[in-house]
Amino acid sequence: MFRYIIILVLLTFSTLSGCAQKDSPDYQGNWIGSLPNKSSFNFNVAIENLEGNNYHLVIANDKILIDENLKSTSEDHIQFNINNHIYFNLSISENGQELTGFIKTGKFYYHVRFDNLGDKKFAGNWNPFMLDNGLISDDILLYIEKNDDETLVAYPFLGDQRFRGTWTGNFKMKNDTLSFKDGNTGFNFRARLLKNIIELEILLADTVITKTNLTHSKAEWEYETEPVDQDQNTNTPAKLNDGWVTTNINDFGINKNELVRLIDNIHAKKLVNTHSVLIAKENKLVFETYFDGFNSNIPHDLRSASKSISSAMIGIAIDDNILESVDQKLYDFIPEAYQYTKDSLKSKIRIKDLLTMSSGLDVNNLASENYYQDSNNSKNWLTTVLEAPMVKEPGTYADYGSANPFLLGVCLNERLEKPLQIYMDEKLFAPLGITNYINQTDDTETIPYFGGGMLLTPRDLLKFGQLYLNKGKWNGKQIISENWVAESFTKHVQLQDVKDKNEYGYLWWHDTYVINGRAIKSIEARGAGGQFIFVMPELESVVVITSGNFRNRKGNQPREILKEYILPAIVK
């Protein structure tokens, strides 16, 4: 049994408006119910080529949701959309055995892969919640409140906390029905407000995925989760044909007792909300364990840990001569409509300053992520960031802020002749064999957000760390230049607005851990809630830890796990 404090969650949401009748009953508070099928959000997709650019599309869960004949708008790709709500951009692999690409709804580009069934038919799975095994709880809550103008807003919560959560808006009241949309998944909601119940429907485009009845409760929400049978151990990780060679920790003399102690203390809730721990040693995956219903097939919310992936894409673009160098100026890329924000200091900002968090922009206030992503403050993200004042000379002072990598994504997008998400897939993810992921967009809902927010599986995140440990190579193939990896890991600046004043590379953190009197240097990708890649060249090791500590001030717990359990197991 878990307790969910609604007020804490609501602080993360912007207050959005709609229309409500003044004389309507007071529907404020918690409305609780259960979903009829925990697998309703696991979709099967089938695409059949009929003739030429004509295709037959079927999307189904336990029933057929969408069954349409559609015409591709592209000759060499499969491109179509449904009600300007669901967008497909797919291509057939060179060997003709797979259909790969993106399904786009809301702010998410879902990378998908469908198998060739023969007779011009392809089929596969699409899991908008990224949970391959369905929800582990059928409980659902709808919290309703009034704005100052008496209009109603609503926020849905699922009992399965592996799901990233909704970001609802576009509230509209018509007769007795409040409709709204989740900006993340693009799902639509309809809540019919009746006397004693709320009839809630969740829709994909205009098709009902599932529906349920909710009843009002004055109590705080307590939801039930069914236990997930997971066997955590130190056995050899499974071989999944994903590029990883697996072997046992005994091959490297890693102390099993320390890792067993780690597992036991996670079970005992001494290390709360730990979702995965993986260790690679000398290019081999030697330890892998998951908790709280996570598994190797579920992409995890990386938050700012994906900033390091953004850095990789800048390096790849320089390798490709799409960008000239890190010394190019920011305003060489900014669209004409935003050039009015340029001044004597902003004109000096270089790509390098964005990579090292030293742009000089007011990233802790008027260019902070919380500020520019708040629709109450922001016309659009780019306008808000570029209109923010400068507080330092560019390149002289480093304050950590997501506005810096956000601008990197804008710069790269301006230079590409293809969509940024496709460039990222072709140049980084496909060469790494990464196929199961989400690329989240910025407020344009078309450009991937370089400030953080991708979802990757822990095994794929470990690949990315191994790529950097191997100086840009994965399984013998050079994906990023060795020079870029070296520059990225160089200690360019010292962050001034973080507790430890860490030295910092190109969107990579530096830290040192002392074990038995030995100082172990680590270069790290870090994300809110406890998403970490630890790259330790001296030990020829990479460690990935994912977590769910978003609101309890335990986001740095993975550093404790590394120091107190993993390093004592590895360091002899």
Side-chain angles (χ1 to χ4, degrees):
M1 186 74 68
F2 299 90
R3 186 171 295 274
Y4 201 100
I5 308 300
I6 298 300
I7 294 175
L8 291 179
V9 176
L10 290 178
L11 291 176
T12 68
F13 287 92
S14 305
T15 301
L16 301 168
S17 62
C19 298
Q21 298 175 352
K22 292 184 178 179
D23 297 330
S24 63
D26 186 1
Y27 288 96
Q28 295 185 95
N30 298 342
W31 292 81
I32 297 172
S34 59
L35 297 168
N37 186 344
K38 292 187 289 187
S39 296
S40 293
F41 304 100
N42 295 85
F43 301 152
N44 298 311
V45 179
I47 299 176
E48 179 183 2
N49 183 211
L50 300 176
E51 183 178 350
N53 289 342
N54 296 302
Y55 294 86
H56 181 211
L57 171 71
V58 176
I59 300 177
N61 48 22
D62 57 339
K63 63 182 182 295
I64 293 177
L65 302 174
I66 293 172
D67 186 347
E68 294 189 22
N69 290 334
L70 299 162
K71 185 171 184 177
S72 174
T73 58
S74 171
E75 295 289 337
D76 55 355
H77 288 75
I78 300 174
Q79 292 182 344
F80 42 72
N81 77 77
I82 300 171
N83 300 330
N84 294 318
H85 182 92
I86 312 170
Y87 300 87
F88 287 75
N89 188 353
L90 308 169
S91 60
I92 299 176
S93 62
E94 290 184 4
N95 62 13
Q97 295 306 303
E98 293 179 341
L99 195 60
T100 62
F102 295 94
I103 297 176
K104 167 74 165 54
T105 60
K107 285 189 174 182
F108 289 166
Y109 285 109
Y110 296 90
H111 191 271
V112 293
R113 180 177 61 183
F114 303 137
D115 294 327
N116 189 341
L117 303 182
D119 296 325
K120 298 182 179 181
K121 296 178 182 178
F122 293 83
N125 299 321
W126 170 36
N127 303 316
F129 287 172
M130 303 308 286
L131 306 174
D132 67 326
N133 51 7
L135 299 169
I136 57 177
S137 170
D138 59 9
D139 289 351
I140 185 170
L141 174 141
L142 187 70
Y143 181 84
I144 297 180
E145 66 176 3
K146 286 184 180 179
N147 283 325
D148 292 339
D149 61 0
E150 297 296 305
T151 58
L152 294 179
V153 294
Y155 308 108
F157 300 92
L158 297 176
D160 191 332
Q161 297 306 292
R162 297 175 302 169
F163 170 52
R164 180 174 181 169
T166 60
W167 190 284
T168 51
N170 298 330
F171 298 100
K172 296 177 182 177
M173 193 78 189
K174 184 176 181 180
N175 299 325
D176 61 358
T177 301
L178 177 66
S179 62
F180 50 98
K181 179 180 178 180
D182 171 30
N184 286 335
T185 62
F187 286 165
N188 292 315
F189 291 78
R190 285 199 300 249
R192 189 179 179 202
L193 311 181
L194 303 178
K195 184 176 181 180
N196 295 314
I197 65 170
I198 291 179
E199 295 179 350
L200 181 67
E201 296 178 323
I202 305 175
L203 304 93
L204 177 67
D206 297 324
T207 303
V208 175
I209 301 170
T210 188
K211 58 184 178 181
T212 188
N213 292 337
L214 310 176
T215 57
H216 191 267
S217 173
K218 293 183 179 179
E220 293 174 344
W221 184 33
E222 294 183 347
Y223 60 85
E224 294 282 354
T225 59
E226 295 182 7
V228 179
D229 185 17
Q230 292 180 276
D231 183 20
Q232 292 92 7
N233 54 58
T234 62
N235 295 345
T236 302
K239 185 170 177 58
L240 300 179
N241 195 31
D242 62 352
W244 275 114
V245 175
T246 65
T247 191
N248 195 273
I249 58 172
N250 294 331
D251 293 348
F252 296 102
I254 295 174
N255 188 334
K256 175 181 178 178
N257 293 334
E258 294 291 347
L259 298 181
V260 170
R261 186 169 66 91
L262 168 62
I263 291 170
D264 289 345
N265 283 343
I266 292 173
H267 284 159
K269 302 300 180 183
K270 295 180 180 179
L271 299 165
V272 297
N273 301 321
T274 299
H275 294 160
S276 73
V277 182
L278 292 82
I279 303 172
K281 178 74 171 175
E282 297 182 21
N283 286 294
K284 295 179 175 65
L285 177 60
V286 300
F287 179 75
E288 176 185 29
T289 188
Y290 299 92
F291 304 87
D292 293 346
F294 281 88
N295 61 50
S296 61
N297 298 317
I298 298 177
H300 200 281
D301 186 358
L302 304 183
R303 300 295 174 98
S304 287
S306 61
K307 285 180 169 68
S308 301
I309 296 174
S310 303
S311 171
M313 292 313 306
I314 296 300
I316 289 171
I318 291 175
D319 294 341
D320 283 348
N321 296 316
I322 292 171
L323 303 179
E324 293 177 14
S325 76
V326 296
D327 292 319
Q328 281 186 278
K329 300 296 178 59
L330 166 65
Y331 275 85
D332 291 343
F333 302 90
I334 296 300
E336 182 62 33
Y338 300 89
Q339 286 288 329
Y340 72 92
T341 60
K342 182 178 179 179
D343 60 26
S344 59
L345 276 182
K346 289 178 182 176
S347 65
K348 298 179 181 180
I349 300 174
R350 303 166 298 168
I351 289 177
K352 182 173 184 177
D353 302 326
L354 301 174
L355 287 164
T356 57
M357 298 291 182
S358 58
S359 66
L361 282 164
D362 188 15
V363 296
N364 289 321
N365 190 13
L366 297 181
S368 70
E369 191 171 49
N370 287 339
Y371 190 83
Y372 66 76
Q373 291 191 6
D374 186 340
S375 60
N376 292 317
N377 306 322
S378 184
K379 304 171 189 175
N380 65 66
W381 295 4
L382 186 56
T383 296
T384 303
V385 168
L386 293 178
E387 286 185 349
M390 297 288 287
V391 294
K392 297 290 181 181
E393 179 89 14
T396 65
Y397 189 95
D399 271 349
Y400 183 90
S402 294
N404 293 296
F406 163 56
L407 291 173
L408 287 172
V410 173
C411 292
L412 180 52
N413 185 69
E414 285 296 308
R415 285 291 187 270
L416 289 173
E417 296 180 355
K418 62 179 63 176
L420 178 52
Q421 72 277 6
I422 292 178
Y423 183 71
M424 295 175 71
D425 188 66
E426 290 178 351
K427 293 293 183 176
L428 181 63
F429 297 127
L432 286 173
I434 295 174
T435 61
N436 179 22
Y437 67 90
I438 284 179
N439 214 333
Q440 178 189 327
T441 63
D442 61 20
D443 63 327
T444 65
E445 295 195 0
T446 58
I447 303 173
Y449 178 48
F450 269 31
M454 293 190 62
L455 287 83
L456 267 68
T457 68
R459 283 176 78 122
D460 287 341
L461 192 59
L462 193 72
K463 285 184 192 177
F464 181 70
Q466 188 70 53
L467 175 71
Y468 270 74
L469 180 59
N470 291 347
K471 300 180 180 180
K473 286 185 178 181
W474 170 251
N475 285 342
K477 181 179 179 180
Q478 196 79 43
I479 296 173
I480 305 174
S481 69
E482 183 174 339
N483 179 65
W484 183 257
V485 172
E487 279 294 305
S488 298
F489 279 1
T490 297
K491 298 175 180 178
H492 292 283
V493 296
Q494 188 174 26
L495 296 174
Q496 299 301 314
D497 59 344
V498 298
K499 180 182 177 181
D500 295 334
K501 298 288 192 294
N502 296 76
E503 291 175 298
Y504 200 70
Y506 287 170
L507 304 182
W508 285 92
W509 299 69
H510 285 263
D511 210 336
T512 301
Y513 302 85
V514 179
I515 306 297
N516 299 325
R518 180 178 173 185
I520 304 297
K521 294 181 179 179
S522 175
I523 306 104
E524 302 170 1
R526 297 183 176 184
Q531 326 315 321
F532 277 74
I533 307 174
F534 302 93
V535 180
M536 295 168 287
E538 183 181 353
L539 301 178
E540 295 187 70
S541 297
V542 182
V543 172
V544 158
I545 299 174
T546 61
S547 320
N549 291 309
F550 296 108
R551 288 175 289 273
N552 59 6
R553 300 183 180 228
K554 292 185 179 291
N556 276 317
Q557 181 176 270
R559 297 171 64 205
E560 175 188 345
I561 292 174
L562 181 78
K563 183 177 180 180
E564 301 298 329
Y565 301 87
I566 296 175
L567 287 179
I570 296 175
V571 176
K572 298 179 176 63

